[in-house]
């Protein structure tokens, strides 16, 4: 099957590309570095030629509602329109558990993205996943300095590689609308997980946990980011992932 991965050079995208190729699929990477711009639509028609399924893991780093909604609305509309022109049969979207419960600016963009995909012209599947284990490393490396500030949040994180496996599996099947949510095998307090990464992998920083300073903070600290119903669960536990990750060189900031 010919599969296109939108955001195929990002953290999750690289894993989706790798696993789809390992499964024997012909994979097209949609990214600016590959000459395709989701924000303008440039290069999309050529990239989607003979593509059966698109897996969209494109992303933007922002906490702004305006920026998030603008990005996901524009890129999703461009992608869906090109898919319709090119005869793409299935659109698979990676989304996030809890976006209906936590009224955070970035999540409002993801909600808009889901709306467009589920009401769009191409049959779609939407997989909501909890945060990735890799979020703990991002929390330590996002900003320079000796401190890492982490919102007080309960989560049930999953390895990004296991999310990639589930996305490829869904891409191989029929469009199914919103499917059961993906999560990891255990509930963690995220700041505690980040402290473990700082201690055993680095960069070594003081981790400060604070409530998120908005109405989003309360559900984030309680069950707002946890799956609400049974669904697929990753098998890799955080301690095992950290042990494997700790053997790789830590980034220096």
């Amino acid at each position: 099957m010919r599969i296109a991965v939108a955001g195929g050079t990002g953290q999750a995208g690289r894993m989706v590309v790798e696993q789809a190729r390992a499964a024997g699929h012909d994979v097209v990477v949609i990214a600016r570095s590959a000459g395709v711009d989701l924000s303008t639509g440039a290069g999309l028609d050529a990239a989607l030629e003979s593509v059966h399924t698109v897996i969209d893991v494109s992303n933007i780093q922002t906490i702004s509602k305006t920026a998030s909604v603008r990005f996901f609305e524009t890129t999703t509309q461009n992608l869906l329109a090109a898919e319709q022109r090119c005869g793409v049969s299935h659109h698979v979207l990676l989304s996030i558990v809890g976006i209906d419960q936590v009224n955070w600016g970035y999540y409002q963009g993801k909600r808009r993205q889901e709306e467009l995909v589920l009401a769009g012209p191409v049959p779609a599947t939407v997989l909501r996943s909890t945060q990735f284990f890799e979020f703990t490393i991002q929390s330590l490396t996002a900003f320079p300095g000796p401190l890492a500030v982490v919102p007080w949040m309960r989560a049930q994180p999953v390895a990004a590689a296991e999310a990639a496996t589930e996305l490829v599996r869904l891409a191989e099947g029929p469009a199914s609308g919103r499917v059961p949510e993906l999560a990891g095998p255990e509930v963690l307090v995220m700041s505690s997980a980040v402290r473990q990464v700082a201690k055993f992998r680095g960069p070594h920083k003081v981790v400060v946990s604070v409530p998120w300073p908005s109405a989003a903070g309360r559900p984030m600290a309680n069950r707002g980011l946890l799956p609400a119903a049974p669904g697929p669960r990753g098998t890799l536990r955080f301690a095992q992932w950290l042990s494997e990750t700790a053997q790789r060189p830590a980034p220096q900031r």
Side-chain angles (χ1 to χ4, degrees):
M1 182 188 298
R2 189 169 174 83
I3 295 176
V5 181
T9 57
Q11 181 183 77
R14 291 193 301 270
M15 295 182 181
V16 172
V17 168
E18 179 182 336
Q19 294 196 28
R21 285 176 174 160
H25 298 294
D26 179 16
V27 180
V28 177
V29 174
I30 294 178
R32 285 180 179 173
S33 60
V36 188
D37 191 336
L38 286 172
S39 295
T40 65
L44 271 174
D45 284 17
L48 294 178
E49 184 178 353
S50 301
V51 165
H52 180 276
T53 298
V54 170
I55 302 176
D56 185 5
V57 291
S58 58
N59 197 24
I60 182 175
Q61 297 295 326
T62 183
I63 60 173
S64 164
K65 171 187 173 181
T66 300
S68 181
V69 171
R70 182 189 303 118
F71 173 82
F72 286 116
E73 192 169 71
T74 300
T75 58
T76 302
Q77 288 173 335
N78 287 339
L79 187 54
L80 290 173
E83 289 173 10
Q84 186 179 31
R85 290 193 299 270
C86 296
V88 172
S89 299
H90 188 187
H91 182 104
V92 179
L93 173 65
L94 175 64
S95 191
I96 306 170
V97 168
I99 59 174
D100 293 330
Q101 304 299 318
V102 179
N103 199 31
W104 188 32
Y106 171 76
Y107 286 178
Q108 293 182 56
K110 291 297 291 184
R111 289 204 297 265
R112 179 59 177 150
Q113 185 184 35
E114 284 192 8
E115 291 171 0
L116 290 168
V117 166
L118 292 172
V122 179
T125 300
V126 175
L127 173 67
R128 288 185 176 183
S129 171
T130 53
Q131 286 75 23
F132 297 154
F133 290 151
E134 288 78 1
F135 174 82
T136 56
I137 298 175
Q138 294 172 8
S139 297
L140 288 171
T141 58
F143 300 100
L147 297 179
V149 179
V150 181
W152 208 101
M153 54 191 287
R154 295 177 68 208
Q156 195 168 332
V158 66
E162 292 189 309
T165 298
E166 184 66 7
L167 287 167
V168 172
R169 185 188 73 79
L170 292 168
E172 292 170 337
S176 304
R178 185 177 289 126
V179 296
E181 297 173 335
L182 172 68
E186 56 193 334
V187 176
L188 304 173
V189 174
M190 192 59 72
S191 57
S192 297
V194 175
R195 288 189 183 97
Q196 292 182 58
V197 173
K199 178 179 179 181
F200 293 105
R201 179 187 187 275
H204 302 290
K205 296 188 177 185
V206 176
V207 177
V208 179
S209 180
V210 297
W212 191 260
S214 73
R218 186 182 299 275
M220 189 181 288
N222 292 291
R223 298 191 60 84
L225 296 176
L226 303 182
R233 297 293 180 260
T235 59
L236 186 67
R237 301 182 76 84
F238 181 73
Q240 180 183 350
W241 172 84
L242 179 56
S243 176
E244 296 171 357
T245 304
Q247 299 175 25
R248 306 170 198 158
Q252 299 299 317
R253 291 296 300 267

